[in-house]
Amino acid sequence: MSDRTITGLTPTLGFVLHDVARLLRKRFEQRARAHGFVLTRSQWQVLAHLSVHEGIHQGGLAEILEIEPITLVRILDKLEAAALVERRRHDSDRRIWLLYLTDKAHPLLGEMRALSETTRAEALAGLSAEDRSRLLAVLTVMKTNLIDVCSRPVDDQDSVKETRHETSRG
């Protein structure tokens, strides 16, 4: 039971999604620690994204991760010190660093994916394959909707204003 339920707040979609995401991260970190991994969740996330975007520049990876470039630099410094990531200068622009996984990182990614799969299986226990598929489809539609509306100025969202106004009138 979450604190929100205990305090009498009605669970809303935003709260439940936030709690589920937080608990998935927590459980993954518990499993990683139990297996002796010392990387942080942020470091794992960088490695996972880099495995799909090897050769990307630091700014591009920061954008994908939706973090500040300086935050990424700190994470990369630690991953580089652990010999998991290497930075290479761009051929034509020496100001740009391109990012690559080292040979040491690849086996860790396999182990990380196995831990992730186990964590997801725990979270989805009791759901049928059909329910799992439908859940992913619904969340994907929600994500697409939010990406679309986030790309527009708030003033263009008249339906939200109308709903708020109607709610305030009672």
Side-chain angles (χ1 to χ4, degrees), residues 123-143:
L124 296 170
L127 294 178
S128 69
E130 182 181 329
D131 286 343
R132 291 174 185 209
S133 179
R134 183 73 183 140
L135 174 62
L136 186 58
V138 168
L139 290 172
T140 300
V141 169
M142 289 174 60
K143 178 181 175 181

Side-chain angles (χ1 to χ4, degrees), residues 94-150:
R94 304 227 359 116
R95 296 171 297 172
I96 297 176
W97 290 100
L98 304 178
L99 304 171
Y100 294 88
L101 295 174
T102 64
D103 290 340
K104 183 179 174 182
H106 293 285
L108 286 177
L109 284 165
E111 294 176 48
M112 176 188 74
R113 288 182 178 115
L115 289 176
S116 295
E117 181 56 39
T118 302
T119 303
R120 279 190 298 277
E122 288 176 327
L124 296 170
L127 294 178
S128 69
E130 182 181 329
D131 286 343
R132 291 174 185 209
S133 179
R134 183 73 183 140
L135 174 62
L136 186 58
V138 168
L139 290 172
T140 300
V141 169
M142 289 174 60
K143 178 181 175 181
T144 301
N145 290 344
L146 290 168
I147 288 170
D148 180 49
V149 296
C150 286

Side-chain angles (χ1 to χ4, degrees), residues 40 54 75 78 111 119 125 150 152:
T40 67
E54 274 200 273
I75 295 169
K78 290 177 183 172
E111 294 176 48
T119 303
C150 286
R152 298 189 313 238

Side-chain angles (χ1 to χ4, degrees), residues 69-85:
I70 189 66
T71 302
L72 178 60
V73 167
R74 289 185 199 117
I75 295 169
L76 290 170
D77 287 345
K78 290 177 183 172
L79 291 172
E80 193 173 37
L84 297 172
V85 170

Side-chain angles (χ1 to χ4, degrees), residues 19-36:
D19 286 346
V20 168
R22 179 183 52 78
L23 290 166
L24 278 169
R25 288 189 304 270
K26 179 179 181 177
R27 185 60 176 163
F28 175 83
E29 289 172 350
Q30 286 175 336
R31 289 192 157 282
R33 297 289 178 260
H35 283 83

Side-chain angles (χ1 to χ4, degrees), residues 5 38 156:
T5 304
V38 294
D156 291 348

Side-chain angles (χ1 to χ4, degrees), residues 40-54:
T40 67
R41 183 186 51 81
S42 297
Q43 291 167 334
W44 282 118
Q45 188 176 24
V46 167
L47 291 176
H49 282 280
L50 190 51
S51 73
V52 178
H53 301 284
E54 274 200 273

